[in-house]
Amino acid sequence: MSRIFSGIQPSGELHIGNYLGAVKNWVALQQRFESFYCIVDYHAITVEYEPALLRERTRDMAISILASGVDPERAVLFLQSAVPEHTELAWIFNTLTPLGELERQTQFKDKSSRQESIPVGLLTYPVLQAADILLYRADLVPVGEDQLQHLELSRLVARKWNARFSPEKPFFPEPKAEVTPTPRVMGLDGTAKMSKSLGNTVGLLEEPAAIWEKLKPAVTDPARVRRTDPGTPEVCNIYHLHKAFSPPETVKHVAVQCSTAGWGCIDCKKVLFESMKKELDPIRERAAEIRSNPATVDTTLRAGAEKAHAVAKETMREVKERMGFAP
Ligand code: SF4
C-alpha cells in the first residue's frame, strides 16, 4: 500500500475552506493509503504567536479533524512536536539545501516582505516540510496548487540526499503530488481565498443559524442586479459551494435556474444551506461529543505519535548509518 503524508497548521477549528481543500480529502484517502496526518505545530511558530493560543488551537484542530471523519484506526494522526526526528532530519537537510532555492520560494517572498526582521525559520520552513514528508518516506502528498512549489523542493532534497548518500538505490522516494479534487475555496466576499485573517470564512463547527446569517449577504454574480437578470453560475462562489456540498442533480438544477433567472439568489442560497446542514450537522455533533471527553483527544494524539515515532526512528537510523554517524 502506498504511503501518504499530509500536514496542517494548528489554526484552531477548521473552516469550510480547510475542510474542503484538505481534511475531507484525508478522510477519503485513508481508505486507499497508509496515511500519516500531522498537525504541524513547529511550522506555526515561524510567525508571531501566543503560547496559550497555540495549545488551544492545536486541540481545536485535532477535534475538527477527528469530527470530520479521520479515523485513528486507519490513519496515524499526531503532533509534529511529539516526534523529535522531524527537526533532526530538517537539520541534516539544511546542510544540503541551496540558499537560492529557499529565497525564491513564493511563500517566503510573500511573508518576508511583510516583516522588518525575518526569522531564519521562515526561510527554512520548506526544509522542515521536506523532513516531515521524507521522514515517513511518503510516496504521495495531497496538496493544493499553492503547495506545489514546496513539494518540488522536497523532491529536490530527496534527490540531493540520495545522490550523495544512497546513489546505488535511492533511499528516499521522490514524493508525488496528489492534487486535491476541490480547487481553492473562495471566501464569502467572493474575491479572495477563504482565510481566517480575512474574516471571510464559514466555520466547520458553526451553528446553522450563524452559517445562514453569513450566507445571506454572501457575494454572488454581480450581473444579477434584479431578480429577473439571468446569471452565470461559473462566476459565482455560491455555485462553487454547491459543487462541494450539493448532489450532482442539484448542481445541474442550480445552473439552469441561475442562467434562466428561474430563481433568485436567496432561493439558491437556501438550497445550499440545506446541503451544507446535511453534511455539517453530523460533524458538529461529533465534535461536541469529542469535546465533552477531552481525554480522547490526548490519548489519540499520543497513540498516533507513538506509531509515527516508530517509523521516524527507523528512518533516522538508516539515514545516520548511511551518513557515517557513529552508532
Ligand atoms: Fe449565484 Fe445562485 Fe445567484 Fe446564480 S442564482 S448568481 S449561482 S447565488
Side-chain angles (χ1 to χ4, degrees):
M1 196 188 247
S2 297
R3 189 177 277 175
I4 59 169
F5 175 92
S6 190
I8 193 162
Q9 288 224 14
S11 54
E13 287 179 3
L14 287 170
H15 57 69
I16 61 168
N18 322 123
Y19 168 70
L20 296 171
V23 177
K24 189 174 178 180
N25 196 32
W26 287 9
V27 176
L29 293 170
Q30 70 185 354
Q31 314 288 341
R32 291 165 39 215
F33 299 106
E34 188 188 357
S35 309
F36 285 78
Y37 298 143
C38 182
I39 300 178
V40 289
D41 43 4
Y42 277 145
H43 286 290
I45 63 167
T46 52
V47 289
E48 289 258 332
Y49 77 101
E50 282 297 325
L53 272 184
L54 175 64
R55 203 164 295 132
E56 188 186 312
R57 287 178 178 167
T58 302
R59 165 166 290 274
D60 284 345
M61 177 56 77
I63 292 172
S64 290
I65 292 171
L66 292 168
S68 299
V70 166
D71 177 1
E73 297 295 319
R74 287 183 180 275
V76 182
L77 177 68
F78 65 104
L79 301 185
Q80 185 185 32
S81 60
V83 182
E85 285 81 0
H86 284 254
T87 43
E88 194 180 4
L89 187 58
W91 173 254
I92 287 172
F93 288 162
N94 269 331
T95 64
L96 288 173
T97 309
L99 179 63
E101 289 291 338
L102 296 177
E103 284 174 333
R104 67 180 189 83
Q105 298 290 313
T106 313
Q107 286 193 15
F108 170 70
K109 284 198 237 167
D110 182 39
K111 287 186 183 165
S112 61
S113 67
R114 289 181 254 133
Q115 299 207 23
E116 253 174 54
S117 163
I118 302 161
V120 174
L122 198 60
L123 178 72
T124 57
Y125 178 114
V127 181
L128 179 56
Q129 226 170 29
D132 296 338
I133 298 164
L134 297 176
L135 192 54
Y136 302 96
R137 301 169 73 197
D139 309 289
L140 289 168
V141 182
V143 285
E145 284 184 356
D146 52 349
Q147 286 291 315
L148 285 173
Q149 197 184 24
H150 281 180
L151 184 62
E152 201 40 58
L153 189 97
S154 300
R155 292 164 57 79
L156 173 84
V157 168
R159 263 197 310 279
K160 277 187 166 292
W161 192 93
N162 286 336
R164 174 84 177 82
F165 300 109
S166 191
E168 303 289 303
K169 191 167 176 265
F171 176 70
F172 288 118
E174 284 185 38
K176 294 191 182 65
E178 168 90 11
V179 179
T180 52
T182 306
R184 66 191 202 138
V185 180
M186 302 297 280
L188 294 182
D189 50 9
T191 54
K193 188 178 167 179
M194 190 172 279
S195 152
K196 274 189 188 158
S197 59
L198 298 174
N200 60 6
T201 61
V202 174
L204 184 70
L205 308 180
E206 272 190 84
E207 290 295 329
I211 295 181
W212 178 242
E213 283 310 308
K214 286 183 172 177
L215 280 184
K216 268 196 297 188
V219 171
T220 62
D221 175 2
R224 291 206 75 183
V225 180
R226 289 173 302 244
R227 162 74 179 71
T228 48
D229 293 332
T232 309
E234 283 300 337
V235 304
C236 176
N237 194 28
I238 297 296
Y239 178 64
H240 292 291
L241 288 173
H242 267 295
K243 288 209 264 187
F245 285 106
S246 298
E249 58 280 10
T250 305
V251 176
K252 271 191 210 148
H253 187 63
V254 170
V256 172
Q257 293 292 343
C258 175
S259 53
T260 58
W263 63 15
C265 291
I266 282 290
D267 304 315
C268 183
K269 288 174 177 178
K270 280 183 188 157
V271 176
L272 171 65
F273 176 62
E274 288 307 321
S275 300
M276 288 175 73
K277 256 175 68 60
K278 207 164 170 193
E279 184 157 340
L280 302 184
D281 281 357
I283 295 177
R284 198 179 55 257
E285 284 156 19
R286 268 200 303 274
E289 232 172 81
I290 298 168
R291 205 180 279 284
S292 68
N293 187 2
T296 322
V297 181
D298 298 333
T299 313
T300 303
L301 291 176
R302 247 197 314 272
E306 267 173 38
K307 287 185 202 160
H309 192 222
V311 178
K313 228 166 50 183
E314 184 51 26
T315 302
M316 285 312 297
R317 192 189 62 72
E318 299 228 27
V319 163
K320 285 175 155 177
E321 192 181 299
R322 285 169 166 79
M323 293 182 74
F325 288 101

